[in-house]
Amino acid sequence: MSDASSGKARPPIGEVQGKKEQVGQMFDRIAPRYDLLNRVLSAGIDRRWRKKVIQILDQHAHPRRILDVATGTADLAIEALSLKPESIVGVDIAEEMLSVGRQKVERLGASSVITLMFGDAENLPFEDDEFDAATVAFGVRNFENLSKGLLEMSRVLKPGGVLAILEFSQPRVFPIKQVYSVYSRHVLPRVGRAVSRDEGAYTYLPESVAAFPDGEEMIGIVEESRFTMVRARRLTFGIVTIYYGRAV
């Protein structure tokens, strides 16, 4: 579904053509401070959100091979170690983010399980039916072509494999909706700019969230991308949502 058809404005780093390169460059710039910013801007709740994703995988998949798309600095891949899988592969288009992630994996002594590599979500370098589970944390919002990225994850998942997506969404309940709107428009960009020293990154974040489909609209897009039994679990008053389903 296009931004025009959903009635939502497209964010500055959001033209379909070239978005991938812009997003990759942006995350390369903020990579050294990305983890700190996550902890500060979420008050540490982001760790709890990732644990919820892993709990869903544990309940529905017991995966041996896991793919983490848009892995960034590998926070979710590292969290998935608790499932004791045979292997976890994380892919991302931002090499500086991957570099930070590799350092974290090495410090944990987890290099034999977690492999981080450059990879485009819309053209994954894997054969069909390779993985038992695929995850994305705060990454699908940055895909240049959302449907193409979802279809690629369906392709590399085994039939019945579980997809779990963690993404920002729009709170809908008073007064959380109003408070979050003020925070995301005014507080988040200022703190983000101050800590990351990047003018655009944390202005892009709330704009991209506002432009991105959520709720039933997102469920429909995932279902159209060859997934079934798709569900949504809203967390922290709807600030984030986990979408999960099974590959056809």
Side-chain angles (χ1 to χ4, degrees):
M1 182 174 294
S2 69
D3 291 329
S5 63
S6 64
K8 296 177 179 178
R10 195 183 296 276
I13 307 179
E15 296 84 359
V16 171
Q17 190 65 37
K19 177 177 179 179
K20 193 180 303 178
E21 290 76 13
Q22 294 177 67
V23 167
Q25 291 167 9
M26 178 183 71
F27 280 105
D28 275 336
R29 292 195 303 271
I30 66 173
R33 300 175 184 85
Y34 181 77
D35 287 342
L36 172 62
L37 280 160
N38 277 349
R39 304 294 101 81
V40 170
L41 293 172
S42 73
I45 300 175
D46 62 306
R47 290 173 171 167
R48 200 178 311 165
W49 295 334
R50 290 184 179 87
K51 287 181 183 295
K52 292 288 186 183
V53 173
I54 300 309
Q55 287 173 9
I56 286 173
L57 292 190
D58 192 28
Q59 292 165 7
H60 295 274
H62 304 293
R64 305 312 304 160
R65 285 179 54 78
I66 301 172
L67 173 65
D68 187 36
V69 177
T71 192
T73 61
D75 273 349
L76 188 57
I78 289 169
E79 195 67 50
L81 287 169
S82 64
L83 298 174
K84 302 189 184 307
E86 293 174 2
S87 65
I88 303 168
V89 180
V91 298
D92 204 285
I93 60 171
E95 285 284 7
E96 293 301 319
M97 296 282 278
L98 290 169
S99 178
V100 173
R102 290 185 187 109
Q103 293 172 31
K104 291 159 63 175
V105 170
E106 288 173 8
R107 285 198 298 269
L108 289 169
S111 298
S112 63
V113 179
I114 298 178
T115 301
L116 302 181
M117 57 187 289
F118 181 89
D120 181 354
E122 297 158 36
N123 188 23
L124 292 169
F126 308 109
E127 300 295 329
D128 296 355
D129 307 336
E130 276 203 40
F131 296 94
D132 304 300
T135 59
V136 192
F138 308 116
V140 292
R141 190 182 72 257
N142 301 318
F143 287 5
E144 190 168 274
N145 186 315
L146 175 59
S147 295
K148 188 174 180 181
L150 291 171
L151 284 168
E152 271 291 271
M153 284 186 281
S154 175
R155 179 184 66 80
V156 301
L157 279 171
K158 297 175 182 177
V162 173
L163 169 71
I165 297 169
L166 174 64
E167 190 51 87
F168 289 110
S169 51
Q170 296 290 325
R172 297 170 183 170
V173 179
F174 178 86
I176 302 301
K177 177 180 178 180
Q178 288 73 18
V179 171
Y180 182 72
S181 177
V182 171
Y183 172 78
S184 63
R185 290 174 181 272
H186 301 289
V187 178
L188 187 152
R190 291 177 182 176
V191 175
R193 280 196 298 270
V195 178
S196 71
R197 302 171 194 168
D198 188 282
E199 289 295 319
Y202 286 84
T203 300
Y204 165 72
L205 192 151
E207 291 174 342
S208 65
V209 173
F212 194 74
D214 70 354
E216 291 299 321
E217 184 181 2
M218 182 62 176
I219 288 174
I221 293 171
V222 177
E223 289 175 335
E224 290 169 3
S225 304
R226 304 189 73 247
F227 289 95
T228 188
M229 301 171 62
V230 181
R231 301 287 185 271
R233 182 180 299 179
R234 294 171 72 83
L235 304 175
T236 316
F237 306 105
I239 291 174
V240 300
T241 300
I242 301 174
Y243 303 93
Y244 58 100
R246 292 190 179 274
V248 174

